[in-house]
Amino acid sequence: MILENPWLLFGMLLIPAIYTLYAYHLVWRKRIMKKFGEPNMVNNLLIGYSTKRQLTKLHLKLAAIAFLLLALAGPKIIASQLRTETVGANVIFVLDVSLSMLAEDIPPNRLEKAKYIVSKAVNELTKSQIAIVVYSGIAYPLVPFTSDHESIKNALHGVNTNMLPIPGSSLKEAIEMAIRFKAKKNFGSNYIFLLSDGEDHLTIPNAILDSTVNKGFKIFTLGLGTLSGSPIPVRQANGRSVLKKDQDGKIVYTSLKDQSLKLLASKTGGQYKSILHTIDGVNFITTAVKEIESTYAASNTFRHYQSLFQWLLGLALVLLLIEIIISEGKYKLHQS
């Protein structure tokens, strides 16, 4: 099973917190009742209130919340599998998810353009194993090597500039992580395609570049953005979009820094290309890969996934309906 939005499961932490607060409420209520007399006797005098029913209703609500969070996390199970024999290459896409990638000098913005290029290229690279690394201030292995291209495109949907906790552009960590990936099948050709605007890139030590070359990887860089630059729209908590400003209150402009991208490609035997249109990026990637594709045959498994969203949502609604039906009190008269 895979999850489209696994971070939503952190919401499950609310459940024990709510349960703990309710337990404290019961302790507090018992102390208050002692002031009026023996707790069991006072409880029997109360009409329209039942602790057991309240607990039952609470359990139903918490279970409904759990199923709802799980549904929103987007769980999918394998519905069918197909095994095929293919030939191809090892391809790693390295996506820059730093804040500057929100600039809209390439519509809809640099990051969305990068995601769309990768998605379209994946459709063409049917013979290759593909992995994805995302990076900002740190790097994260989003998808390990796989020939299941459907799962790759599903993972791309969740890529955004808020997915990593540390801002910046640590390309050094991204390259180190990419070359540590172990392919399931040893295709002879290894490619890293870096999609970035080149902003804030620190110098990558020659030792890392040498290791990249020695392990058989070539780095191809795709520059996203324009030399004239663009402001960076940032979405606030209220949903409004404002332009990023510096400490002096001036609007921050970001432009394509292609020199670092050109240097990186040339030192590893790859190529650089400035990208304005999707078709240019897709053609650049597919042409580079297909020119030297390995003739090594590999067995691949393609999976079709089925969403469980509607089933989990249905369970949550049923539990809430049962909770509404259950009355809160005892509904019996006290007889003296």
Side-chain angles (χ1 to χ4, degrees):
M1 183 168 65
I2 63 171
L3 298 173
E4 288 186 350
N5 305 300
W7 57 272
L8 284 173
L9 294 183
F10 283 111
M12 294 286 188
L13 296 176
L14 291 172
I15 295 176
I18 294 172
Y19 202 84
T20 301
L21 288 174
Y22 188 75
Y24 278 115
H25 166 73
L26 291 180
V27 172
W28 172 82
R29 181 175 175 274
K30 190 172 184 179
R31 289 176 180 173
I32 295 299
M33 290 174 63
K34 282 183 177 180
K35 296 180 180 181
F36 295 95
E38 202 279 323
N40 290 332
M41 181 180 296
V42 174
N43 191 51
N44 288 331
L45 293 173
L46 293 176
I47 300 174
Y49 185 88
S50 169
T51 301
K52 290 183 179 180
R53 291 190 181 221
Q54 290 291 333
L55 280 172
T56 300
K57 290 171 71 67
L58 177 65
H59 290 155
L60 289 169
K61 288 178 182 176
L62 294 180
I65 292 174
F67 280 120
L68 181 59
L69 287 171
L70 189 56
L72 293 175
K76 294 183 177 181
I77 59 172
I78 298 173
S80 61
Q81 292 189 150
L82 175 66
R83 295 185 64 85
T84 61
E85 293 291 326
T86 64
V87 295
N90 298 322
V91 177
I92 302 176
F93 290 106
V94 178
L95 289 177
D96 184 350
V97 295
S98 59
L99 199 60
S100 61
M101 293 293 285
L102 291 177
E104 298 175 346
D105 47 357
I106 297 181
N109 62 43
R110 297 173 185 175
L111 180 57
E112 290 303 317
K113 177 66 73 174
K115 289 163 58 177
Y116 194 60
I117 289 172
V118 172
S119 180
K120 289 294 184 183
V122 166
N123 289 337
E124 299 293 327
L125 302 179
T126 56
K127 299 178 181 180
S128 299
Q129 293 183 115
I130 297 174
I132 298 179
V133 173
V134 294
Y135 77 97
S136 56
I138 59 172
Y140 176 72
L142 184 67
V143 181
F145 270 120
T146 179
S147 297
D148 185 355
H149 294 181
E150 190 66 30
S151 65
I152 295 172
K153 289 187 284 187
N154 284 334
L156 281 172
H157 289 311
V159 173
N160 60 75
T161 56
N162 297 318
M163 66 188 304
L164 298 180
I166 301 178
S169 290
S170 182
L171 180 57
K172 171 180 171 291
E173 285 194 28
I175 298 301
E176 285 181 315
M177 181 169 291
I179 63 178
R180 286 199 303 267
F181 267 139
K182 291 186 178 180
K184 296 178 181 178
K185 298 295 181 181
N186 187 24
F187 286 132
S189 304
N190 303 299
Y191 300 88
I192 294 175
F193 288 96
L194 168 66
L195 293 90
S196 172
D197 55 17
E199 282 274 19
D200 301 326
H201 284 167
L202 301 176
T203 302
I204 301 177
N206 287 328
I208 295 178
L209 296 179
D210 291 340
S211 176
T212 302
V213 174
N214 291 336
K215 291 185 178 182
F217 283 95
K218 293 182 179 181
I219 300 179
F220 293 76
T221 54
L222 290 80
L224 296 159
T226 60
L227 296 177
S228 58
S230 168
I232 305 172
V234 179
R235 188 173 295 276
Q236 297 180 316
N238 60 9
R240 293 181 57 191
S241 184
V242 299
L243 298 181
K244 179 177 173 60
K245 297 181 180 180
D246 60 19
Q247 294 180 347
D248 298 324
K250 297 180 179 179
I251 295 175
V252 175
Y253 279 81
T254 172
S255 59
L256 173 64
K257 303 296 189 297
D258 57 1
Q259 290 303 315
S260 61
L261 299 176
K262 290 177 180 178
L263 185 63
L264 183 59
S266 65
K267 284 190 174 183
T268 58
Q271 299 175 26
Y272 166 80
K273 187 172 181 62
S274 177
I275 303 299
L276 292 177
H277 305 289
T278 302
I279 189 64
D280 296 333
V282 175
N283 287 341
F284 177 67
I285 294 169
T286 56
T287 299
V289 173
K290 290 182 179 180
E291 278 182 355
I292 323 174
E293 271 190 341
S294 170
T295 57
Y296 183 88
S299 176
N300 304 304
T301 301
F302 296 90
R303 297 180 178 90
H304 173 68
Y305 290 90
Q306 180 179 356
S307 175
L308 298 179
F309 173 82
Q310 63 273 24
W311 298 103
L312 294 170
L313 181 62
L315 281 173
L317 293 176
V318 168
L319 291 174
L320 288 176
L321 181 61
I322 295 174
E323 189 274 336
I324 292 172
I325 293 174
I326 295 177
S327 61
E328 295 186 359
K330 296 177 280 190
Y331 293 103
K332 66 178 183 178
L333 295 175
H334 171 71
Q335 297 178 355
S336 57

